[in-house]
Amino acid sequence: MTNTALVVGASGIVGSNLARHLSDRGWQVLGLARRPPSGLDGVRPIAADLQDPASLRDILASLRPTHVFLATWLRQPTEAENIRVNAAMVRNVLGALSGADTLSHVALVTGLKHYLGPFESYGKGRLPATPFREEQPRLDVENFYYAQEDELFDAARRGGFSWSIHRPHTIIGYAIGNAMNMGTTLAVYATICRETGRPFLFPGSAMQWTGLTDMTDARLLARHLEWAATTTVARDQAFNVVNGDVFRWSWMWARLAGWFGLQPAPFPEEISPLERQLADSGRIWADIALKYDLVERDLSVLSSAWHTDADLGRPIEVVTDMSKSRKLGFLEYQATDDSFFDLFSRLRAANVIP
């Protein structure tokens, strides 16, 4: 029997890479999003509003997925609203599929805010020791990831399917218009610096500059999601998912600068967040896009400066342990500098950057 995947959030950085991977692997793939992508070969687009449970039930009533991959969220102004909205979306999807007797596994993609706390208290207060490990307990704070997990656990008990939870670090991958896309944001920033002569300044904290960290390639995450969904020993488990290497931004920043033909600026005396550096750059990017006939002239579609600032501004070292996956048989590895270079090359080939 062919596996059928319902990828929820198929237009995002995780969902689009996962849908493409599963299709290439011979799965039947249903790509669900409010505005599903139409250019993914082998993926059937499903348009739906996850906040409308009645219409969602009608849309999903005839579908019989064997596996569901939940890879979407909606940012809200407070964590209380994040919990209300994002937990409800998980509940609505799984409720709409409650009669699907084909469903065997549901995977939920969250992230390291499981250990770091939500944006309102990001990296503050008492945090677990690094490297982060899956057995570390939840923080004593409100967190929409925890609410999403609880919805999944409740639905799995009722429906009898297995589950997996995947906690990537910052994700590198190809997706346009994504709210959490450091790679494309840095590519746009580097292009602006090269075209204007501005210094290529690291926008984060001294701890991120000198401390160890890691990241997650969206393609590796896709392979991990498939592995957990089809591996018996991985059922009903939570997993960290990172590339497998560690680096310091003081080294990586020079690598990224070199790809764009730039000299990296010395570490600044005070933090220089991208939101501030790019505040006047909408017109600059529009001019660059016109000059090189690029496909997107709106800087806000490509850049998620706020999210990149949140990641690079953290005052603590963030390193993630992958031993649990390794012990159970997932041995994939990806060099993070190559993740960036692969993305930059693809952005250039797609005429997103010059």
Side-chain angles (χ1 to χ4, degrees):
M1 175 178 157
T2 302
N3 288 326
T4 300
L6 176 64
V7 178
V8 181
S11 60
I13 192 169
V14 175
S16 60
N17 281 276
L18 174 61
R20 185 179 296 108
H21 169 76
L22 293 177
S23 178
D24 289 345
R25 294 272 291 167
W27 290 55
Q28 293 182 357
V29 183
L30 310 169
L32 188 152
R34 183 188 291 270
R35 291 180 292 275
S38 58
L40 292 176
D41 291 340
V43 179
R44 175 185 165 190
I46 306 290
D49 182 353
L50 301 185
Q51 297 186 80
D52 185 345
S55 68
L56 192 59
R57 282 194 298 270
D58 292 339
I59 291 167
L60 301 185
S62 62
L63 304 182
R64 289 293 181 267
T66 57
H67 298 72
V68 174
F69 299 90
L70 299 164
T72 188
W73 73 293
L74 285 176
R75 187 188 183 197
Q76 304 299 315
T78 66
E79 193 59 18
E81 279 297 291
N82 274 328
I83 290 170
R84 183 185 67 81
V85 171
N86 291 286
M89 291 197 301
V90 172
R91 184 169 62 251
N92 292 343
V93 170
L94 298 182
L97 293 169
S98 60
D101 54 7
T102 55
L103 185 58
S104 64
H105 186 86
V106 176
L108 171 66
V109 180
T110 60
L112 293 196
K113 287 191 290 297
H114 184 92
Y115 309 108
L116 290 163
F119 287 118
E120 292 177 7
S121 56
Y122 200 38
K124 301 175 183 176
R126 186 173 183 177
L127 299 171
T130 56
F132 294 138
R133 293 182 170 87
E134 294 91 341
E135 68 268 19
Q136 290 168 322
R138 292 178 174 183
L139 301 175
D140 188 21
V141 295
E142 288 188 323
N143 192 322
F144 82 85
Y145 285 171
Y146 305 160
Q148 288 183 310
E149 288 184 350
D150 290 341
E151 293 290 346
L152 174 58
F153 299 154
D154 288 345
R157 282 191 290 268
R158 293 191 304 269
F161 53 79
S162 62
W163 54 266
S164 59
I165 293 167
H166 304 257
R167 299 169 185 161
H169 197 170
T170 303
I171 299 170
I172 310 171
Y174 184 85
I176 303 302
N178 185 264
M180 302 170 67
N181 198 333
M182 180 188 287
T184 303
T185 299
L186 293 181
V188 167
Y189 172 55
T191 300
I192 290 172
C193 289
R194 188 183 63 206
E195 292 293 316
T196 62
R198 292 182 180 185
F200 188 55
L201 283 172
F202 181 70
S205 68
M207 177 57 76
Q208 291 302 304
W209 182 252
T210 59
L212 289 173
T213 193
D214 48 30
M215 295 184 75
T216 304
D217 191 301
R219 300 166 300 182
L220 181 138
L221 176 56
R223 297 194 293 272
H224 191 274
L225 282 158
E226 183 190 20
W227 167 78
T230 57
T231 302
T232 301
V233 294
R235 290 176 181 166
D236 302 339
Q237 303 273 355
F239 296 103
N240 297 328
V241 192
V242 288
N243 284 345
D245 62 350
V246 294
F247 63 91
R248 303 180 199 278
W249 274 106
S250 55
W251 174 82
M252 185 66 77
W253 201 246
R255 298 281 289 161
L256 303 189
W259 196 93
F260 287 93
L262 297 166
Q263 288 295 320
F267 183 75
E269 294 183 3
E270 63 178 37
I271 194 166
S272 303
L274 281 180
E275 278 202 301
R276 187 171 71 206
Q277 291 194 57
L278 296 176
D280 65 343
S281 296
R283 182 70 259 170
I284 294 171
W285 181 257
D287 290 343
I288 292 171
L290 180 63
K291 176 182 177 181
Y292 293 101
D293 194 25
L294 303 180
V295 297
E296 181 53 64
R297 299 183 182 184
D298 186 346
L299 179 65
S300 66
V301 173
L302 301 176
S303 171
S304 55
W306 69 271
H307 190 266
T308 298
D309 286 340
D311 277 359
L312 297 183
R314 290 183 300 223
I316 61 171
E317 185 177 80
V318 176
V319 185
T320 314
D321 186 78
M322 275 283 284
S323 297
K324 185 175 183 181
S325 291
R326 305 294 188 223
K327 290 176 180 178
L328 294 179
F330 183 81
L331 305 178
E332 298 273 357
Y333 167 85
Q334 170 67 47
T336 300
D337 53 344
D338 286 340
S339 293
F340 276 114
F341 300 157
D342 289 350
L343 172 62
F344 297 159
S345 295
R346 185 169 180 189
L347 290 171
R348 180 168 287 170
N351 205 33
V352 177
I353 61 172

